[in-house]
């Protein structure tokens, strides 16, 4: 018990450092206000952040020659550029609510580093996945439905920062964009997909190469749950 409490404090301190550093960036200082469709308030991204997840997605989409992918909450575009390398024949929509992030992503797309894949990526500034299409083979929402202040403060209720209803509404919108048999990736959330009403239309895919997500986690009543990890984050939509 003592060791577990110490680990929780270490994780909370690390989360606080990441959160503060992210908010200190020029784009982070220009973050949107909560009422404007904001989900994750900090800019945390990087190239090939989750190779195990991307490799698993490759395997799950192996039979689709020209898949359509959505990176929702794409930040400054690194996830979309990474996906373009993992899926050389994919068409990719990358959506973020922060106009500063989308401007930076479009600037990066013109750079020598990303020029070869940029023509397959469409960057859109929007608060909803409806800005893209409704026929994706895979939808990725990674480290978006998580609030840094929840990790740091671990309040008994999440209502003031990010209520469960916002998570459920966003996931339902992602579901509407995903074709039957498509793959939904939800990593780095403060909530569990199994607690949503649409989860019955999916089955989880084991991801042994990727460590479980760590908490805190909140339930449908916005209360802190007594769980420290959640191992399901790759889901396949039922064919119908």
């Amino acid at each position: 018990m003592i060791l577990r409490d110490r680990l929780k404090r270490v994780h909370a301190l690390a989360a606080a450092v990441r959160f503060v550093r992210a908010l200190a960036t020029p784009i982070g200082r220009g973050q949107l206000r909560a009422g404007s469709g904001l989900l994750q308030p900090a800019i945390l991204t990087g190239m090939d952040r989750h190779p195990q997840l991307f490799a698993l997605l490759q395997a799950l989409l192996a039979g689709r020659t020209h898949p359509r992918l959505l990176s929702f909450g794409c930040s400054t575009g690194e996830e979309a550029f990474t996906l373009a390398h993992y899926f050389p024949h994919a068409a990719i929509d990358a959506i973020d609510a922060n106009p500063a992030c989308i401007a930076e992503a479009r600037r990066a797309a013109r750079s020598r580093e990303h020029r070869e894949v940029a023509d397959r990526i469409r960057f859109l500034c929007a608060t909803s996945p409806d800005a893209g299409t409704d026929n994706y083979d895979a939808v990725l929402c990674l480290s978006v439905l998580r609030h840094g202040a929840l990790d740091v403060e671990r309040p008994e209720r999440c209502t003031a920062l990010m209520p469960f209803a916002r998570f459920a509404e966003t996931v339902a919108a992602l579901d509407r964009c995903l074709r039957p048999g498509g793959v939904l990736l939800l990593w780095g959330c403060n909530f569990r997909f199994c607690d949503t009403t649409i989860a019955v239309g999916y089955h989880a895919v084991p991801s042994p190469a990727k460590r479980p997500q760590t908490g805190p986690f909140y339930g449908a009543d916005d209360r802190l749950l007594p769980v420290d990890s959640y191992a399901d984050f790759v889901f396949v939509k039922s064919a119908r």
Side-chain angles (χ1 to χ4, degrees):
M1 182 64 70
I2 294 176
L3 178 59
R4 176 177 294 182
D5 290 341
R6 287 179 178 174
L7 286 174
K8 285 184 178 179
R9 288 195 292 271
V10 169
H11 288 312
L13 178 60
V17 171
R18 290 195 301 270
F19 188 54
V20 171
R21 285 178 176 174
L23 292 180
T25 65
I27 294 177
R29 288 195 297 271
Q31 63 184 308
L32 301 176
R33 296 184 182 275
S36 59
L38 176 70
L39 293 170
Q40 169 58 261
I43 309 302
L44 297 167
T45 190
M47 290 294 294
D48 205 13
R49 287 189 302 162
H50 303 288
Q52 302 94 337
L53 288 182
F54 299 141
L56 178 57
L57 185 60
Q58 270 187 321
L60 292 173
L61 299 183
R64 310 186 193 197
T65 55
H66 294 86
R68 297 181 64 87
L69 312 178
L70 170 62
S71 169
F72 185 69
C74 68
S75 188
T76 48
E78 285 82 353
E79 182 174 289
F81 296 129
T82 298
L83 289 171
H85 288 288
Y86 274 86
F87 298 91
H89 302 292
I92 302 168
D93 283 347
I95 295 176
D96 200 275
N98 193 327
C101 285
I102 292 300
E104 175 64 18
R106 289 171 176 166
R107 184 205 61 78
R110 296 191 295 270
S111 69
R112 180 179 301 178
E113 180 182 3
H114 302 303
R115 196 177 300 158
E116 291 184 4
V117 300
D119 62 340
R120 294 189 287 110
I121 304 173
R122 181 172 60 153
F123 288 106
L124 303 167
C125 186
T127 60
S128 170
D130 297 339
T133 183
D134 60 357
N135 202 29
Y136 293 111
D137 294 287
V139 170
L140 298 88
C141 187
L142 310 181
S143 300
V144 175
L145 298 168
R146 187 179 196 101
H147 199 294
L150 289 178
D151 292 343
V152 175
E153 300 169 11
R154 301 179 70 93
E156 287 301 314
R157 287 181 176 271
C158 65
T159 311
L161 290 169
M162 184 186 286
F164 179 87
R166 189 178 301 166
F167 168 76
E169 289 167 3
T170 303
V171 170
L174 297 175
D175 169 66
R176 291 193 295 270
C177 295
L178 186 64
R179 65 171 54 177
V183 182
L184 176 63
L185 273 68
L186 292 173
W187 168 263
C189 303
N190 284 125
F191 310 93
R192 304 181 305 180
F193 183 62
C194 64
D195 294 326
T196 67
T197 58
I198 66 169
V200 295
Y202 288 77
H203 69 267
V205 176
S207 311
K210 183 71 172 174
R211 60 179 175 80
Q213 302 173 88
T214 56
F217 296 99
Y218 292 84
D221 59 358
D222 287 357
R223 290 183 177 275
L224 183 66
L225 295 172
V227 295
D228 295 324
S229 64
Y230 181 51
D232 292 339
F233 36 83
V234 180
F235 309 93
V236 174
K237 188 173 183 176
S238 299
R240 58 180 184 271

